[in-house]
Amino acid sequence: MVKRVSLTTALLFALSLPLSADIVTKRFNWAPIQGVQKVDFEWNEIAISEIRFDLGDTVAPIRYSSSKAVVRVDNNSRRDQEVGVAVAVFAEDGTMLAAGSAGIKLGDLDKGEREEFTVKFPYVYRNLRDAATFLVTLETKLVGSGSPFNITR
């Protein structure tokens, strides 16, 4: 009896642990046309095809920048997913010029849906005009993959 209870408890514990999310990073050359950069980036049926860079202005008196990248994310899978995006911008010599992240605030990105994530660069932004490359990191996790008690739509 103790063996059966221990095995059941261990199995329930293992199934209730959250599974780690899948993550991948890809480098692109900086080449936005009127602020819009087309990219070809897909992972786990989540696609990023466009990033709109806005070098922004400084908001006085707090010296906060309105610089941002708006990342278009499409869920082309048949399952709802939790999605996060990070963008880091680099100069030719490898110096990081700006970095930020964004993602789903509430819920998830439903199957077949499109969302725009705003990645803000509020404080480290002054040299964005020297950008040569940027990295995009995409983190995905199927909704309901962390626990046997989650029910997907």
Side-chain angles (χ1 to χ4, degrees), residues 59-94:
V59 179
I62 58 175
R63 294 276 186 228
Y64 177 88
S65 172
S66 62
S67 299
K68 64 187 173 199
V70 179
V71 182
R72 187 174 77 190
V73 180
D74 293 294
N75 183 352
N76 297 324
S77 73
R78 294 181 182 196
R79 302 265 314 265
D80 298 348
Q81 296 198 45
E82 295 175 22
V83 179
V85 175
V87 177
V89 182
F90 297 87
E92 188 68 40
D93 67 359

Side-chain angles (χ1 to χ4, degrees), residues 19-149:
L19 297 176
S20 64
D22 290 327
I23 191 166
V24 66
T25 299
K26 189 171 180 180
R27 180 179 299 273
F28 299 93
N29 290 324
W30 180 269
I33 299 171
Q34 295 180 335
V36 178
Q37 173 102 23
K38 298 291 184 183
V39 296
D40 182 18
F41 188 15
E42 186 166 342
W43 179 255
N44 286 347
E45 298 183 280
I46 298 292
I48 297 174
S49 58
E50 179 182 283
I51 301 174
R52 291 190 321 271
F53 288 98
D54 179 357
L55 303 185
D57 292 314
T58 303
V59 179
I62 58 175
R63 294 276 186 228
Y64 177 88
S65 172
S66 62
S67 299
K68 64 187 173 199
V70 179
V71 182
R72 187 174 77 190
V73 180
D74 293 294
N75 183 352
N76 297 324
S77 73
R78 294 181 182 196
R79 302 265 314 265
D80 298 348
Q81 296 198 45
E82 295 175 22
V83 179
V85 175
V87 177
V89 182
F90 297 87
E92 188 68 40
D93 67 359
T95 303
M96 185 183 299
L97 304 175
S101 64
I104 295 294
K105 304 265 188 289
L106 292 171
D108 50 63
L109 186 59
D110 293 340
K111 58 186 174 189
E113 293 291 323
R114 170 181 289 166
E115 186 73 44
E116 289 187 338
F117 298 155
T118 301
V119 177
K120 296 181 180 183
F121 309 125
Y123 298 105
V124 180
Y125 61 89
R126 291 166 185 86
N127 295 297
L128 274 172
R129 297 191 192 294
D130 298 330
T133 63
F134 63 96
L135 295 175
V136 177
T137 297
L138 178 61
E139 182 182 77
T140 63
K141 181 180 175 193
L142 290 173
V143 171
S145 63
S147 167
F149 304 107

